[in-house]
Amino acid sequence: MRMEEGTFKMFSSISKKMIFLFHMLFYLWEASKANKTVSKPNVVIFMADDLGIGDLGCFGNKTLRTPNIDKLASEGAMLTQHIAASPLCSPSRAAFLTGRYSIRSGIASIHRSGVFLFSGSSGGLPSEETTFAKLLQQKGYSTALIGKWHLGIYCNSSSDFCHHPLSHGFDYFYGIPVTNLRDCKPGHGSVFIEGCKMFIRPSLQFIGIALISLKAIHYLGLSKGLLRALGYLFLIISVLLGLLLLWWYSYRYLNCILMRNHTIIQQPWIYENLTQRFTEEAKRFIKRNSEAPFLLFLSYPQVHTALFASQTFKGKSKHGLYGDAVEEMDWSIGEVLHVLDQWHLSEKTLVYFTSDQGAHVEEISINGEVHGGYNGIYKGGKSTNWEGGIRVPGIIRWPGVVGPDARIDEPTSNMDIFPTVIKLAGESLPKDRIIDGHDLMPLLQGNAVRSKHEFLFHYCNAHLNAVRWHPRNSTSIWKVFFFTPNFSPEDSNGCYDYHVCFCQGDFVTYHNPPLLFDLSKDPEEKNPLTPETESQFYDIIQVIQQAVNNHTTSLPSVPNQLSLDNILWKPWLQPCCSSFLQLCYCDHDIDENKDVL
Ligand SMILES: *[C@@H]1O[C@H](CO)[C@@H](O)[C@H](O)[C@H]1NC(C)=O
């Protein structure tokens, strides 16, 4: 009996100690977790271009192979209602980098083209804007952009580099300052011709009619003076057209540029092994900075057309060159993640994957192959604010802090990365401006169940196109449209006749009262609600209208970076690595640091 009691006492004191120890360990573990979230993690960002949410295995695709992205998702959190701030590259990227709607930085066009098209134009991300790269840089991070920028290069002279990545918080840049376009790759057609097809035919008809009239005037023996004047006019127009054509054909040399920091290293860039070079650059950057906190923004030109894939991937997927390009990008992501593992950095690194907007469904190659991605159940695509244009794949991985297998269905935005990483770096948000994004950590760590985005504003260039409202006390996700793009052909799922959808005039239909959907019940945006089918119809519209008024009064007036003046080609701003007579051609992509590691 005694003996047993003694043993019992001994055991109970041991077990008390054990419990105490266990508690200590638990607190330490909790503390370390809490510490981890504030201790300057590395940040690795993968951004695809024009990738559809339906292209990835983890978002339901069964035939495209994206094992590395799928693994990333299963080890972290999937954001299923992740919304790009704009359905076009330049504005979406501006919003992403600054945490603000791009209309606040003036990257919101009032005419047709909503993006930058030329290396020699003066628009871009203004110097007054602060990117998260700049704030992390100030906090001691090493920062690099590898890949696509698309937010301008120069302002007034071809040496000011005022819009260049190195002026916006990146220590290192290896990539393409403008964008990848069909016109960059011989044999892939031209976006200019694609986009202008509908306008070229009437112009040709007009020229034809003019010629016939000229002949008629000649036969009728009308005034010789008039005839001569018309002749000269015709000559001048032909010369101008000829020059335009010449300039068109030199597009590739003038705009498809690969740079290392401020230096042009390939003009035009060579597609061969471009992905391998981006991947190598990214891996080397991580190895160089394994001791210090770093920010790596790997911004793939895939899967924007012109599509490309290296020999290893070409012809391997089930979805043509498009699928090959997606699978090669997935490979590249796997390579970079592997380096994080090798260097024991995975637990210290927040990894984010996204696409700058939805798939460009109208992309059909000149051979008739589908070169645009898949937006799953969602309507429309790039250049529209239907869900297919803005609902992008979002994945965040941070082992030990986020996930695994977490899933956030609440509305989140690509503008949220700004406040999230700024906070993690221990920096405070800028106080002199509105930041539209919200810190994602409370949602990611399960400390909040509701998104802070009660309203999200969906812009089509400078025009407020739609608004999303997630009322605080309800599961509904209302979305109203003030106008919708006119699909052409009418019964299709896009603006195939124009290659992209435009935001104004005859290209859209205005709605008054606005179109209303409840995305929580109708994510496909098939059934617009009416006052008959939704008793709260007018109340909902009214709340949203009030939110629009508040939002609109918060917009400052800033110079428009996509004005005609800022978007057109200025010959004196043209970057050129050789003389103009040598057609601005060069190829010296040699890295002096290659052997350092
Ligand atoms: C997978 O992606 C391809 C390429 O975009 C698309 O054609 C296909 O329909 C998708 N499949 C599924 C099941 O989502």
Side-chain angles (χ1 to χ4, degrees):
M1 199 63 181
R2 280 213 136 149
M3 172 76 185
E4 272 172 30
E5 237 170 57
T7 334
F8 175 74
K9 265 193 185 152
M10 200 174 81
F11 267 125
S12 94
S13 99
I14 285 176
S15 72
K16 266 187 192 147
K17 273 181 192 150
M18 287 284 281
I19 289 170
F20 177 73
L21 206 71
F22 180 75
H23 272 243
M24 280 300 285
L25 279 174
F26 182 72
Y27 284 128
L28 275 175
W29 158 249
E30 281 295 298
S32 81
K33 247 170 97 171
N35 267 341
K36 232 183 215 168
T37 58
V38 291
S39 68
K40 287 192 177 182
N42 305 311
V43 179
V44 173
I45 292 163
F46 299 108
M47 184 178 277
D49 196 344
D50 290 1
L51 181 80
I53 194 167
D55 286 326
L56 301 176
C58 52
F59 281 91
N61 203 300
K62 300 262 182 292
T63 43
L64 245 172
R65 289 165 301 183
T66 53
N68 293 297
I69 300 172
D70 300 348
K71 180 158 175 277
L72 193 68
S74 71
E75 291 168 351
M78 266 170 64
L79 311 176
T80 61
Q81 194 182 160
H82 197 48
I83 306 299
S86 161
L88 284 179
C89 300
S90 301
S92 172
R93 286 155 192 267
F96 168 63
L97 286 163
T98 62
R100 290 145 59 76
Y101 291 111
S102 72
I103 195 156
R104 298 193 194 280
S105 51
I107 308 214
S109 169
I110 51 164
H111 50 84
R112 265 185 218 156
S113 174
V115 300
F116 300 107
L117 294 169
F118 309 115
S119 60
S121 60
S122 53
L125 191 62
S127 318
E128 294 76 27
E129 289 298 325
T130 305
T131 65
F132 59 78
K134 185 155 251 171
L135 290 172
L136 291 192
Q137 194 180 44
Q138 283 165 12
K139 276 304 230 187
Y141 275 64
S142 297
T143 57
L145 169 62
I146 291 163
K148 165 171 160 161
W149 172 242
H150 212 182
L151 287 168
I153 310 177
Y154 312 117
C155 293
N156 300 308
S157 86
S158 61
S159 59
D160 65 18
F161 292 100
C162 72
H163 299 308
H164 188 276
L166 295 197
S167 305
H168 275 298
F170 291 100
D171 302 326
Y172 182 65
F173 172 54
Y174 176 90
I176 63 181
V178 194
T179 184
N180 176 26
L181 277 186
R182 282 179 181 219
D183 301 67
C184 292
K185 202 172 179 200
H188 278 243
S190 161
V191 276
F192 295 100
I193 292 176
E194 270 299 315
C196 299
K197 245 197 271 174
M198 288 297 272
F199 311 104
I200 287 175
R201 202 170 305 139
S203 320
L204 287 179
Q205 276 164 357
F206 175 77
I207 290 176
I209 292 170
L211 273 177
I212 292 168
S213 320
L214 217 60
K215 263 273 186 262
I217 292 172
H218 181 72
Y219 275 119
L220 291 174
L222 286 184
S223 134
K224 279 231 170 88
L226 182 65
L227 198 63
R228 192 170 300 153
L230 285 173
Y232 278 128
L233 194 65
F234 192 69
L235 193 73
I236 291 170
I237 291 177
S238 310
V239 169
L240 286 178
L241 272 178
L243 283 176
L244 197 66
L245 269 182
L246 188 73
W247 174 82
W248 217 323
Y249 283 103
S250 54
Y251 183 92
R252 183 162 86 95
Y253 291 92
L254 300 183
N255 302 293
C256 308
I257 298 173
L258 181 68
M259 280 179 136
R260 174 174 283 114
N261 295 326
H262 286 153
T263 313
I264 300 174
I265 50 175
Q266 280 186 341
Q267 187 169 6
W269 68 65
I270 295 168
Y271 281 93
E272 178 74 24
N273 296 331
L274 193 56
T275 309
Q276 282 64 22
R277 282 179 276 153
F278 285 152
T279 312
E280 271 312 306
E281 288 280 342
K283 286 159 73 173
R284 236 177 286 147
F285 174 78
I286 293 173
K287 291 176 193 171
R288 275 203 301 276
N289 292 286
S290 59
E291 301 293 322
F294 62 82
L295 161 71
L296 167 65
F297 179 14
L298 182 44
S299 170
Y300 292 99
Q302 284 107 334
V303 280
H304 198 294
T305 56
L307 292 176
F308 62 101
S310 63
Q311 283 313 325
T312 326
F313 291 88
K314 210 177 272 175
K316 298 287 158 63
S317 82
K318 292 202 172 90
H319 295 286
L321 190 51
Y322 182 84
D324 302 344
V326 175
E327 293 188 2
E328 182 159 28
M329 183 178 71
D330 180 78
W331 162 83
S332 168
I333 289 169
E335 288 288 294
V336 175
L337 294 177
H338 183 60
V339 169
L340 288 181
D341 279 343
Q342 270 182 327
W343 290 66
H344 307 292
L345 293 168
S346 294
E347 309 247 312
K348 290 186 215 157
T349 306
L350 181 148
V351 178
Y352 171 60
F353 174 88
T354 197
S355 174
D356 59 352
Q357 63 254 330
H360 191 169
V361 292
E362 293 92 348
E363 279 289 4
I364 310 284
S365 82
I366 50 174
N367 308 322
E369 187 176 284
V370 175
H371 274 193
Y374 183 61
N375 292 319
I377 62 165
Y378 303 111
K379 191 186 221 168
K382 176 181 180 175
S383 81
T384 79
N385 281 304
W386 292 116
E387 288 297 276
I390 51 177
R391 199 184 277 229
V392 290
I395 298 170
I396 290 188
R397 185 192 81 169
W398 187 2
V401 181
V402 176
D405 283 320
R407 195 188 141 108
I408 314 281
D409 298 323
E410 286 280 296
T412 55
S413 164
N414 64 347
M415 298 185 288
D416 296 343
I417 298 306
F418 183 102
T420 306
V421 301
I422 298 298
K423 269 197 149 170
L424 290 173
E427 180 67 291
S428 49
L429 292 180
K431 301 229 160 43
D432 58 344
R433 62 196 66 205
I434 294 174
I435 300 295
D436 298 300
H438 293 295
D439 183 5
L440 283 171
M441 290 316 289
L443 270 180
L444 289 172
Q445 294 190 287
N447 297 328
V449 287
R450 299 285 298 195
S451 158
K452 276 193 153 182
H453 287 289
E454 189 177 353
F455 297 96
L456 276 169
F457 301 94
H458 305 304
Y459 278 90
C460 190
N461 289 346
H463 311 279
L464 185 59
N465 186 174
V467 179
R468 176 187 307 252
W469 178 33
H470 187 30
R472 296 241 177 270
N473 53 358
S474 123
T475 51
S476 291
I477 306 216
W478 306 109
K479 187 173 172 194
V480 304
F481 282 86
F482 301 111
F483 61 86
T484 46
N486 297 335
F487 282 168
S488 60
E490 232 172 89
D491 57 352
S492 69
N493 185 39
C495 302
Y496 290 86
D497 292 334
Y498 306 100
H499 190 63
V500 288
C501 295
F502 297 111
C503 308
Q504 67 218 78
D506 294 341
F507 297 102
V508 303
T509 301
Y510 294 92
H511 303 284
N512 193 12
L515 281 193
L516 174 68
F517 297 93
D518 182 356
L519 296 181
S520 69
K521 301 198 178 101
D522 179 19
E524 299 163 52
E525 298 168 290
K526 269 190 176 153
N527 307 307
L529 300 165
T530 62
E532 287 74 50
T533 55
E534 174 51 58
S535 60
Q536 310 255 295
F537 187 91
Y538 287 109
D539 298 336
I540 295 163
I541 304 287
Q542 204 190 344
V543 173
I544 289 179
Q545 196 53 56
Q546 188 54 49
V548 168
N549 296 346
N550 295 344
H551 166 72
T552 315
T553 49
S554 80
L555 298 176
S557 125
V558 290
N560 195 314
Q561 299 295 329
L562 284 161
S563 66
L564 274 187
D565 176 47
N566 276 329
I567 200 178
L568 286 180
W569 182 53
K570 294 183 173 161
W572 61 93
L573 292 183
Q574 179 58 51
C576 188
C577 61
S578 64
S579 79
F580 265 105
L581 288 178
Q582 288 168 292
L583 268 175
C584 295
Y585 171 84
C586 61
D587 176 11
H588 37 79
D589 182 8
I590 302 152
D591 185 1
E592 312 79 41
N593 294 322
K594 204 169 190 160
D595 301 323
V596 176
L597 263 159

